[in-house]
Amino acid sequence: MADYDADAELMDLANQLLAQLKMKNLTLATAESATGGFISHLLTNIDGSSKAFIGGVIAYSAHLKNFTLKVDYDLINDYGTISPEVTEALLDGLKQIMLSDIGIAITGVAGSYILEGKPRGLMYIGIGTHACNKVKEFRFHGTRMEIKRQCAKATFEFLLAELENM
């Protein structure tokens, strides 16, 4: 039996996602925090990705979330940077700044410690369109990189499911 290749699976999902976006003539932008640009990295490893993927922001700090994507500090102070509320605010910021058809926003804890009282592996993945935002909570396990891979897989699957209805 061949070894499981997580990266090959992720690239297959990224290819499927870009193909669907191109077929539907839709553009995508990202706001990544806990994944540190990993989603964007996977997408831009595919030739022709620029036809659908317009770019992303790695908003790792609260300051950058506020400065770049206009997430209000009151929201950050009330809910923390790792929350569905901030994830949704990141999506709203993407809509204003990037002008893409679809946005992906990710917040969470990929590291080996509790952050803002939130456990390792807790991730919020949001998908935003002009019509609405949807944010889901996920719990992943493993090393930092394993959590990022699981989050990327869940993000691609979440968006592929949403694209079926568009």
Side-chain angles (χ1 to χ4, degrees), residues 2 17 68 74 100:
L17 176 58
T68 326
D74 288 338
S100 62

Side-chain angles (χ1 to χ4, degrees), residues 5-60:
D5 188 346
D7 290 331
E9 180 183 27
L10 289 176
M11 291 311 297
D12 181 56
L13 287 168
N15 270 300
Q16 288 177 47
L17 176 58
L18 287 171
Q20 284 295 312
L21 290 167
K22 289 176 196 175
M23 184 179 76
K24 295 175 183 279
N25 199 30
L26 296 170
T27 58
L28 175 68
T30 60
E32 296 184 69
S33 184
T35 50
F38 187 58
I39 302 288
S40 299
H41 167 75
L42 292 167
L43 292 170
T44 58
N45 275 333
I46 298 168
D47 285 339
S49 61
S50 63
K51 290 181 176 70
F53 180 64
I54 64 168
V57 174
I58 301 170
Y60 210 55

Side-chain angles (χ1 to χ4, degrees), residues 30-42 44 53 56-61 64-65 90 104-111 123-124 144-145 147-149 151-152 155:
T30 60
E32 296 184 69
S33 184
T35 50
F38 187 58
I39 302 288
S40 299
H41 167 75
L42 292 167
T44 58
F53 180 64
V57 174
I58 301 170
Y60 210 55
S61 70
L64 206 56
K65 286 173 178 64
L90 289 169
I104 294 172
I106 298 166
T107 64
V109 184
M123 303 290 260
Y124 292 100
R144 177 185 288 271
M145 197 63 225
I147 290 170
K148 285 183 178 186
R149 282 187 177 101
C151 187
T155 301

Side-chain angles (χ1 to χ4, degrees), residues 6 8 16 18 21 23 29 33 49 53 58 60-61 74 92 99 102 106 126 129 133 137 146 150 153 157 159 165-166:
Q16 288 177 47
L18 287 171
L21 290 167
M23 184 179 76
S33 184
S49 61
F53 180 64
I58 301 170
Y60 210 55
S61 70
D74 288 338
D92 292 339
L99 305 176
I102 301 169
I106 298 166
T129 65
N133 293 335
E137 178 180 310
E146 288 168 341
Q150 291 168 59
K153 180 180 183 217
E157 289 173 343
L159 186 49
N165 300 318
M166 297 177 92

Side-chain angles (χ1 to χ4, degrees), residues 3-5 10 27 29 31 36 46 51 58 64 74 79 86 101 112 114 132 135 139 141 153 156 163:
D3 289 335
Y4 171 70
D5 188 346
L10 289 176
T27 58
I46 298 168
K51 290 181 176 70
I58 301 170
L64 206 56
D74 288 338
Y79 298 101
V86 167
D101 298 306
S112 59
I114 293 173
C132 69
V135 178
R139 298 288 176 106
H141 304 282
K153 180 180 183 217
F156 292 153
L163 283 171

